[in-house]
Structures are given as structure tokens and as C-alpha cells.
């Protein structure tokens, strides 16, 4: 979005890799390929403003997620959110849609002190939630995070995301379960 807003060409393959690397690494790569100077602080200020607007105005929950969260809550399942996105933005988006109250806590990478690429991230989240790792199930759409969670011993339900369709076969091979949406989980009663 930043590149397009500044009428800069989008390097081949950059969109498919957005879940694998940070936004700033992608922008650094794009600027390097274009031979343009990179002012990380100014760029981050604009990018974070765009992210904030999306979280506060545009991002919608996946269909049937509230109903699925209701079912989990009714079954006594303890839940949290552990996101790579800034916590304040995730909280704002969840609150805007009335989903904030389902979770015992919401944390981000800075709250854990590790990246979701670090296998120790997930044990720390499970410990904070007070749930043994073997009893945890992560619902995720980002391949890099699924790989890390599986490496840490967390069961994973991969939720299909349009931007990750090219990785569908790998996601299906890694995840304990792969679904196209929450309606599928509701229909199965799981």
C-alpha cells in the first residue's frame, strides 16, 4: 500500500511474502531494488498510520468467528490473542467488533519479548494463559507462525486466508487441521 500510494513499482513476489518478513524489511528491499534512499523513521510513521486506520476502520472479523468464540467460551475454553501486530491496534479492532471480551488477555511480540518466529514465544503465551502446551490449539493464517508453533509443539488449526492460497498445500501439510473458515468449525462442533 505504501509503495502504491507513492506511485512506486511493486517488486515481484513482495505481496506473497508479506507474512514471512516484516513490513519494514519488505519496504527496505523495495527501496534498495529501486535505488532510492530509505528513511526508515519517516516511512514507519506513515506505514503505522496506515495500519492504524485499517485496524480502526476497515478490518472486519472473519465470518462466524463470533459464533465460534461463543461456542468455545460456552465450553469453558480459555482463550487469548497473541499477535505480531501492535497490541493497541489488535485491541481496538477486537473491541470495535465486540470480540475483546472473549479473551483473558491480548499480547503482542513486545509483550512477550520475542518474535512469533521464535519457538519460545508460544510456550511463554501458554504459560501466561495457564494451559499446558499439549492442550493448546492455535488458530492461525500465517505460514511462518504456523511453522514456528508446530516446532514448539503447539497444535494448529490453519484458517484459509486469500493471501496465503499459494501456500495451501504446505499449510495443509503442517497444520493439524485446515479449514476454509469458522463456519466449518461450527458445523463440525469442534
Amino acid at each position: 500500500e505504501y509503495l502504491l500510494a507513492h506511485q512506486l513499482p511493486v517488486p515481484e513476489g513482495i505481496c506473497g511474502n508479506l507474512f514471512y518478513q516484516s513490513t519494514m524489511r519488505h519496504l527496505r528491499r523495495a527501496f534498495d531494488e529501486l535505488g532510492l534512499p530509505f528513511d526508515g523513521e519517516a516511512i514507519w510513521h506513515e506505514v503505522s498510520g496506515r495500519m492504524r486506520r485499517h485496524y480502526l476502520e476497515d478490518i472486519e472479523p472473519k465470518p462466524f468467528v463470533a459464533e465460534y468464540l461463543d461456542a468455545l467460551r460456552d465450553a469453558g475454553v480459555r482463550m487469548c490473542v497473541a499477535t505480531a501486530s501492535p497490541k493497541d491496534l489488535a485491541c481496538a479492532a477486537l473491541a470495535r467488533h465486540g470480540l475483546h471480551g472473549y479473551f483473558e488477555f491480548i499480547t503482542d511480540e513486545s509483550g512477550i519479548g520475542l518474535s512469533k518466529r521464535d519457538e519460545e514465544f508460544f510456550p511463554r503465551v501458554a504459560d501466561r494463559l495457564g494451559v499446558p502446551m499439549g492442550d493448546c490449539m492455535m488458530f492461525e493464517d500465517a505460514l511462518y507462525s504456523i511453522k514456528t508453533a508446530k516446532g514448539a509443539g503447539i497444535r494448529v488449526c490453519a484458517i484459509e486466508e486469500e493471501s496465503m492460497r499459494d501456500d495451501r498445500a504446505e499449510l495443509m501439510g503442517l497444520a493439524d487441521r485446515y479449514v476454509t473458515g469458522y463456519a466449518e468449525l461450527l458445523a463440525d462442533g469442534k
Side-chain angles (χ1 to χ4, degrees), residues 46-61:
E46 183 176 336
V47 167
S48 62
R50 290 175 184 278
M51 277 178 44
R52 179 168 295 286
R53 182 184 58 78
H54 285 304
Y55 272 84
L56 297 178
E57 299 173 13
D58 302 337
I59 293 177
E60 294 294 324

Side-chain angles (χ1 to χ4, degrees), residues 18-68:
L18 284 177
F19 290 101
Y20 297 91
Q21 300 177 30
S22 75
T23 300
M24 292 305 286
R25 274 191 271 167
H26 274 297
L27 288 171
R28 161 81 66 189
R29 182 181 134 215
F31 274 67
D32 287 349
E33 287 181 15
L34 296 168
L36 297 172
F38 185 80
D39 180 349
E41 188 174 323
I43 291 168
W44 179 247
H45 179 73
E46 183 176 336
V47 167
S48 62
R50 290 175 184 278
M51 277 178 44
R52 179 168 295 286
R53 182 184 58 78
H54 285 304
Y55 272 84
L56 297 178
E57 299 173 13
D58 302 337
I59 293 177
E60 294 294 324
K62 293 183 183 291
F64 300 104
V65 72
E67 293 85 348
Y68 189 63

Side-chain angles (χ1 to χ4, degrees), residues 98-168:
L99 301 175
H100 193 275
Y102 288 101
F103 307 104
E104 292 186 31
F105 63 88
I106 298 167
T107 191
D108 59 9
E109 292 176 337
S110 66
I112 299 297
L114 295 167
S115 164
K116 285 179 81 174
R117 288 175 176 77
D118 187 321
E119 285 186 8
E120 186 56 32
F121 180 90
F122 298 102
R124 287 191 188 179
V125 172
D127 185 57
R128 182 169 171 197
L129 189 59
V131 176
M133 291 273 291
D135 293 342
C136 290
M137 172 71 82
M138 181 174 83
F139 296 81
E140 181 65 69
D141 58 12
L143 179 58
Y144 81 91
S145 188
I146 291 170
K147 286 180 177 180
T148 308
K150 291 301 294 178
I154 297 273
R155 291 178 301 135
V156 175
C157 178
I159 307 292
E160 187 168 274
E161 177 64 42
E162 182 67 33
S163 62
M164 298 300 286
R165 284 242 167 115
D166 290 346
D167 298 314
R168 186 176 196 195

